[in-house]
Amino acid sequence: MTRNGSNPRSSRRPCQKSGEAISASRDGQTKRDAVGVSIRLACEAFVISETCDRYQPTLSNENAEIADWLFRLTHNQRNWGFGLCFLYMRNVKGFRWNHKRVYRIYRELKLNLRIKPKKRLVREKPEPLAVPETINQVWSMDFMHDRLEDGRAFRLFNVIDDFNREGLGIEVDFSLPAERVIRALEQFIEWRGRPQVLRCDNGPEYISAALRAWVEERAI
């Protein structure tokens, strides 16, 4: 008994009791003669069955067969993980092995698929934008979009002068193809003058053949 009145043997877990009883009973007849405790009394003291002492694990050739199948499947099908290997052995070959047993051997053989880390794209540092020194040197154009109360979407084509950030115009419509972009730019050039450079993104309206031909014709 301990100081708080509890039995120290009762605090041991069953696996600890079993291991202690088996180790005590397997020390041989010499130790039992010296202590004077039989196997039956030792098992009763630890509250376990005598079969724990008499049990002898039988080695099975099935583990080697499972390992052989796993090696062959992972070698022939390099992208197969445990799930596909087990389903093949169960559904195709008809083996009735427990999935926990197969997975234990699979882990012991270290056949787990290595998860390749995602390669991070190395982005080049963008060059700083050139600062214009006068008006009509660089124009920037871009699209914005919004929706009306009835849900219909509309687009806005905006053009500004990068020198003084002046808004040159806004074209608004439900559809703004490349032809509408060219028409709006023609109107802005008519009262403001021709820019030396047009700055834009890779939108479909900007990379169209019509706009490219217009830019070459205007020598922009």
Side-chain angles (χ1 to χ4, degrees):
M1 298 292 288
T2 58
R3 182 175 299 177
N4 57 3
S6 61
N7 191 343
R9 292 185 298 177
S10 62
S11 61
R12 300 173 184 171
R13 289 182 287 182
C15 59
Q16 295 175 337
K17 297 178 182 180
S18 175
E20 293 175 2
I22 294 174
S23 61
S25 62
R26 288 180 179 173
D27 286 341
Q29 185 66 32
T30 304
K31 187 173 181 179
R32 288 201 298 269
D33 292 342
V35 179
V37 178
S38 64
I39 295 176
R40 182 179 62 81
L41 291 178
C43 292
E44 288 180 358
F46 288 98
V47 196
I48 62 172
S49 175
E50 294 183 34
T51 56
C52 293
D53 178 71
R54 293 193 294 267
Y55 173 76
Q56 295 294 332
T58 57
L59 298 179
S60 176
N61 293 329
E62 289 185 351
N63 289 351
E65 186 178 2
I66 294 173
D68 181 63
W69 270 105
L70 290 174
F71 268 123
R72 282 192 288 174
L73 291 175
T74 54
H75 178 74
N76 297 332
Q77 305 291 340
R78 296 186 179 274
N79 60 340
W80 279 19
F82 167 75
L84 290 177
C85 291
F86 178 76
L87 290 176
Y88 179 84
M89 290 189 294
R90 172 65 66 89
N91 299 333
V92 179
K93 293 301 180 180
F95 296 118
R96 308 307 300 174
W97 296 318
N98 184 276
H99 71 281
K100 296 180 182 179
R101 179 184 185 184
V102 178
Y103 185 66
R104 174 177 56 81
I105 298 174
Y106 182 83
R107 292 290 300 272
E108 291 175 355
L109 297 175
K110 297 181 180 180
L111 298 176
N112 302 57
L113 286 176
R114 184 176 66 89
I115 301 176
K116 296 182 180 179
K118 294 183 179 180
K119 294 183 179 179
R120 301 189 63 179
L121 298 178
V122 180
R123 300 185 181 275
E124 297 181 358
K125 187 177 180 180
E127 297 181 0
L129 298 177
V131 179
E133 300 177 353
T134 182
I135 62 173
N136 290 346
Q137 185 176 358
V138 180
W139 287 6
S140 292
M141 53 186 184
D142 198 5
F143 281 97
M144 299 176 63
H145 62 88
D146 204 344
R147 288 186 178 274
L148 299 175
E149 187 177 358
D150 58 2
R152 290 186 298 171
F154 65 94
R155 307 184 72 188
L156 299 92
F157 175 61
N158 308 282
V159 180
I160 65 172
D161 192 323
D162 286 0
F163 174 71
N164 53 5
R165 312 301 295 175
E166 177 185 358
L168 304 181
I170 301 176
E171 189 79 6
V172 183
D173 206 335
F174 294 105
S175 176
L176 292 172
E179 290 75 13
R180 290 291 304 276
V181 172
I182 294 174
R183 190 180 73 178
L185 292 174
E186 289 281 7
Q187 295 174 354
F188 302 152
I189 292 174
E190 187 175 344
W191 66 270
R192 178 61 181 249
R194 180 178 59 86
Q196 300 178 18
V197 178
L198 280 175
R199 181 178 293 160
C200 61
D201 55 19
N202 294 326
E205 299 84 0
Y206 302 142
I207 62 177
S208 64
L211 185 60
R212 287 179 179 272
W214 179 82
V215 169
E216 292 177 0
E217 181 182 354
R218 283 283 188 169
I220 298 177

